[in-house]
Amino acid sequence: MPVKKYLLKCLHRLQKGPGYTYKELLVWYCNNTNTHGPKRIICEGPKKKAMWFLLTLLFACLVCWQWGVFIQTYLSWEVSVSLSMGFKTMNFPAVTVCNSSPFQYSKVKHLLKDLDELMEAVLEKILAPEASHSNTTRTLNFTIWNHTPLVLINEWNPDHPVVLNLFGDSHNSSNPAPGSTCNAQGCKVAMRLCSANGTVCTLRNFTSATQAVTEWYILQATNIFSQVLPQDLVGMGYAPDRIILACLFGTEPCSHRNFTPIFYPDYGNCYIFNWGMTEETLPSANPGTEFGLKLILDIGQEDYVPFLASTAGARLMLHEQRTYPFIREEGIYAMAGTETSIGVLVDKLQRKGEPYSPCTMNGSDVAIKNLYSVYNTTYSIQACLHSCFQDHMIRNCSCGHYLYPLPEGEKYCNNRDFPDWAYCYLNLQMSVTQRETCLSMCKESCNDTQYKMTISMADWPSEASEDWILHVLSQERDQSSNITLSRKGIVKLNIYFQEFNYRTIEESPANNIVWLLSNLGGQFGFWMGGSVLCLIEFGEIIIDFIWITIIKLVASCKGLRRRRPQAPYTGPPPTVAELVEAHTNFGFQPDTTSCRPHGEVYPDQQTLPIPGTPPPNYDSLRLQPLDTMESDSEVEAI
């Protein structure tokens, strides 16, 4: 076929370039390369050849080592961080405000009646154990208590601690402790958690009884509120017209109607200003207090749930538009009876994506389903971590936690439907494996905006102005001529930009392809005196080496398939003159006796004729190598 013939020609011509053997190839490379060392290996004497060979080998190893270091550094995908300053008119951040108490006690008192009575009995037992011993079981509903009780751990004898039930005898001692009580110095309060069948129990210890009873009450309240409809929970919280008394943005008045309500389980009804969901984002005209947001809030401290909210004040958070406010993790408190001024500075973070960092643009490449997408908010790592925990909660405990959004078709955990949910929840919450799994699956957002706050506070209202300010606010809220507000229940907020300067923190590749090529070329030129052309030459010799190897393998395979007949002589091949004479002079045969053992005769025991006159030795008529033939005969030679 013409294609086969053409390919064979190419193979043969390529073979003829550097030579037929590896030695010829190496000599050809050393004579023609632009790299300095190999030339000296060929041209110098034996001693200098050895010296230049060692130097060339040493520097080649150094170049390879340096190249490996630079390539490894480049593949580590390190980044450098640059900080730049900008100045422009900026959009005002979204502001979320909540009350520290999630519900009004007057509206949830009927739900918490049994729990509050049990809590009061627990406190009496802890504070005055001997005096309350006879009245601990007066009218208490122990249904809640039996699921997750509080116990006392008597550690007078550290080697044999005794666990005492607050409303019963010792659990792990055949001899009950005297009076089944102990004082605060000798005992610690703990929470006992058991599985559904009660075979596996664990104790969660606390340093202080305050922490123990607070955590226990929150756990039991979670069980109660998880069984209430969401719309009913909203009605039990603080209404917007009750909590927001006054609002002013710059020089424009605003009201509770400019806030978007959202229910946050930890803090009840929260309200977001300038969220940007349905309304346009508000810009800030100028930096300074007079161009920011001014709020007066009524936290209604007199109607707090006593055992659920131990902190009085407002909880607030600044965040970007269209992002979900994770107030529990990122919010700050504003104290009642004070004017809190918050100066804001903006930091914009721009991270490099893959392969430099595992950040995400919109969360579409994160394996965790974002449960907060029902609010039509953008992706954040907090949303991913909470969604991941809720997913583990559903898979391990068969129910979802009340504090996080619930996937469709699932139910919130409660003692009635899931008796051991508290045991499962607390074990999952303390699980290091669960946290590491969620951290490995969730990614940070590549573009983020952070608001750095400078906070200052002062008493408000002052003693001189307290009377008239509270009168005016009471009359505006309740149309009452009497003072219905107190300084312990109001909070004033000033939120503003300190300046319009913003910082951009941007990641850029520390080692790009230009840096890599520059360093590779610099090392090669310094140690070997070479350039890119030298590398091309080295690549050429590698290709030639491969082709020669292929040609030898092909020739070897052909030799196995077409084994030549054994020659009738063992010495050097006859000349053309000898072959011609053998055909014309039958009495002449080549002298091969020297190659035969003594006494050996020719086949068939034939007697050779008497030899005639030998012809002249025409060495010039010997057959020439195949590579001297024309190109058309080269194919046949192959």
Side-chain angles (χ1 to χ4, degrees):
M1 296 175 62
V3 176
K4 182 178 180 181
K5 182 178 179 181
Y6 177 76
L7 291 177
L8 290 174
K9 284 185 178 182
C10 292
L11 288 175
H12 186 66
R13 291 193 181 278
L14 181 62
Q15 180 190 16
K16 290 174 61 177
Y20 287 100
T21 64
Y22 298 118
K23 181 179 179 180
E24 293 176 357
L25 177 64
L26 181 61
V27 172
W28 174 84
Y29 172 74
C30 293
N31 285 329
N32 293 277
T33 183
N34 291 317
T35 310
H36 305 307
K39 288 184 177 181
R40 304 297 295 271
I41 296 174
I42 298 298
C43 300
E44 300 292 346
K47 294 182 179 180
K48 287 191 175 182
K49 279 184 179 181
M51 181 189 69
W52 278 101
F53 175 77
L54 293 177
L55 289 176
T56 303
L57 182 63
L58 174 63
F59 293 151
C61 293
L62 288 176
V63 169
C64 293
W65 173 63
Q66 290 289 335
W67 281 8
V69 172
F70 286 122
I71 293 174
Q72 184 180 7
T73 303
Y74 175 75
L75 295 179
S76 63
W77 308 116
E78 296 179 353
V79 298
S80 60
V81 180
S82 60
L83 177 64
S84 59
M85 302 291 293
F87 180 85
K88 68 175 183 178
T89 301
M90 292 180 291
N91 292 329
F92 198 76
V95 181
T96 300
V97 293
C98 311
N99 204 332
S100 296
S101 178
F103 306 106
Q104 299 181 66
Y105 188 53
S106 58
K107 296 182 178 180
V108 298
K109 190 173 183 179
H110 64 286
L111 296 175
L112 303 176
K113 179 178 179 298
D114 292 338
L115 180 60
D116 289 346
E117 291 178 354
L118 197 58
M119 184 69 172
E120 292 173 358
V122 168
L123 294 177
E124 290 177 3
K125 190 69 177 178
I126 293 174
L127 297 176
E130 295 293 342
S132 61
H133 179 64
S134 59
N135 298 324
T136 54
T137 59
R138 52 188 188 276
T139 57
L140 299 179
N141 183 357
F142 285 96
T143 304
I144 298 177
W145 178 264
N146 292 332
H147 285 89
T148 311
L150 290 172
V151 297
L152 296 174
I153 302 178
N154 191 337
E155 295 183 343
W156 280 109
N157 186 356
D159 297 330
H160 301 283
V162 179
V163 179
L164 305 173
N165 195 329
L166 283 172
F167 300 109
D169 295 332
S170 174
H171 283 281
N172 62 348
S173 176
S174 57
N175 298 321
S180 298
T181 61
C182 59
N183 54 35
Q185 291 78 13
C187 285
K188 290 183 178 180
V189 181
M191 189 187 306
R192 187 171 72 232
L193 304 165
C194 297
S195 59
N197 53 14
T199 57
V200 180
C201 293
T202 183
L203 296 177
R204 185 179 183 185
N205 298 329
F206 296 90
T207 305
S208 170
T210 302
Q211 295 175 332
V213 296
T214 301
E215 292 294 327
W216 177 82
Y217 189 92
I218 292 175
L219 191 65
Q220 303 305 328
T222 298
N223 163 63
I224 294 173
F225 293 132
S226 64
Q227 303 177 56
V228 181
L229 296 176
Q231 57 269 25
D232 295 336
L233 292 175
V234 172
M236 297 173 185
Y238 288 84
D241 55 347
R242 174 177 174 82
I243 191 173
I244 301 173
L245 297 181
C247 175
L248 185 67
F249 180 70
T251 58
E252 297 293 329
C254 51
S255 67
H256 63 86
R257 296 180 181 86
N258 300 103
F259 289 75
T260 303
I262 184 175
F263 183 80
Y264 200 88
D266 291 277
Y267 299 103
N269 294 336
C270 296
Y271 302 96
I272 307 177
F273 178 80
N274 194 33
W275 201 9
M277 286 294 187
T278 57
E279 69 282 356
E280 293 185 1
T281 304
L282 299 176
S284 180
N286 283 298
T289 309
E290 62 272 20
F291 298 100
L293 177 66
K294 301 180 179 65
L295 293 174
I296 298 178
L297 307 177
D298 177 17
I299 62 174
Q301 188 177 165
E302 68 282 353
D303 203 13
Y304 271 27
V305 180
F307 301 118
L308 190 61
S310 57
T311 303
R315 186 79 169 172
L316 71 147
M317 174 185 171
L318 308 183
H319 54 97
E320 280 189 284
Q321 280 73 30
R322 303 181 65 84
T323 61
Y324 189 86
F326 292 95
I327 311 167
R328 183 177 60 176
E329 292 81 9
E330 303 175 13
I332 60 173
Y333 278 111
M335 189 170 62
T338 62
E339 178 177 348
T340 303
S341 297
I342 302 175
V344 181
L345 293 175
V346 181
D347 285 346
K348 296 183 178 182
L349 305 181
Q350 297 178 3
R351 300 181 179 91
K352 294 291 291 183
E354 296 287 351
Y356 297 97
S357 65
C359 69
T360 178
M361 294 300 297
N362 52 16
S364 59
D365 54 343
V366 178
I368 301 298
K369 180 182 178 181
N370 185 9
L371 299 180
Y372 293 87
S373 59
V374 296
Y375 296 97
N376 197 26
T377 54
T378 58
Y379 172 86
S380 67
I381 189 171
Q382 288 290 353
C384 180
L385 292 175
H386 289 185
S387 300
C388 181
F389 181 84
Q390 186 74 306
D391 179 67
H392 282 79
M393 187 77 185
I394 292 173
R395 284 190 289 161
N396 290 273
C397 307
S398 302
C399 59
H401 197 275
Y402 163 72
L403 297 180
Y404 310 113
L406 193 66
E408 187 176 358
E410 302 294 339
K411 295 180 63 176
Y412 279 126
C413 297
N414 59 80
N415 294 340
R416 181 185 59 190
D417 300 326
F418 308 95
D420 61 342
W421 77 271
Y423 173 81
C424 178
Y425 162 67
L426 293 176
N427 283 340
L428 188 64
Q429 189 182 42
M430 294 184 292
S431 172
V432 177
T433 304
Q434 183 273 327
R435 291 197 295 269
E436 291 179 348
T437 301
C438 290
L439 286 173
S440 63
M441 297 180 68
C442 293
K443 301 179 181 180
E444 288 186 310
S445 179
C446 292
N447 298 320
D448 194 11
T449 301
Q450 295 181 352
Y451 297 96
K452 305 297 183 181
M453 295 177 287
T454 302
I455 304 174
S456 61
M457 290 184 295
D459 288 340
W460 185 85
S462 64
E463 293 183 359
S465 59
E466 180 178 357
D467 185 67
W468 74 265
I469 289 178
L470 295 181
H471 262 102
V472 172
L473 292 176
S474 299
Q475 196 275 336
E476 290 177 345
R477 189 188 71 167
D478 300 327
Q479 287 78 41
S480 173
S481 57
N482 299 322
I483 296 178
T484 58
L485 295 173
S486 67
R487 64 178 302 134
K488 294 182 179 180
I490 56 175
V491 178
K492 186 176 182 181
L493 298 175
N494 297 324
I495 305 170
Y496 58 93
F497 281 118
Q498 283 185 300
E499 53 189 23
F500 275 172
N501 291 336
Y502 66 93
R503 300 187 304 176
T504 300
I505 303 173
E506 184 178 5
E507 292 182 349
S508 59
N511 307 312
N512 53 26
I513 191 64
V514 176
W515 174 90
L516 178 63
L517 294 177
S518 299
N519 283 280
L520 295 181
Q523 292 298 319
F524 187 60
F526 178 75
W527 293 109
M528 299 292 293
S531 63
V532 178
L533 296 178
C534 299
L535 295 178
I536 296 175
E537 291 174 352
F538 188 71
E540 181 184 7
I541 189 176
I542 292 178
I543 295 174
D544 290 339
F545 179 88
I546 295 173
W547 277 116
I548 291 176
T549 304
I550 293 174
I551 291 171
K552 288 183 177 293
L553 291 175
V554 171
S556 176
C557 293
K558 284 187 175 182
L560 293 176
R561 292 195 303 266
R562 300 178 181 178
R563 185 178 300 276
R564 295 180 179 179
Q566 188 174 359
Y569 45 81
T570 58
T575 63
V576 174
E578 291 174 341
L579 294 176
V580 171
E581 184 65 22
H583 284 79
T584 59
N585 187 357
F586 295 101
F588 173 79
Q589 292 294 332
D591 186 10
T592 58
T593 56
S594 61
C595 299
R596 293 179 178 272
H598 180 70
E600 185 177 351
V601 297
Y602 288 95
D604 301 330
Q605 301 297 325
Q606 295 179 0
T607 303
L608 294 176
I610 298 173
T613 303
N617 187 12
Y618 297 108
D619 291 335
S620 63
L621 295 179
R622 287 185 179 274
L623 297 176
Q624 298 299 318
L626 295 176
D627 56 357
T628 60
M629 302 173 66
E630 294 300 326
S631 59
D632 291 338
S633 62
E634 291 174 358
V635 178
E636 302 299 330
I638 295 297

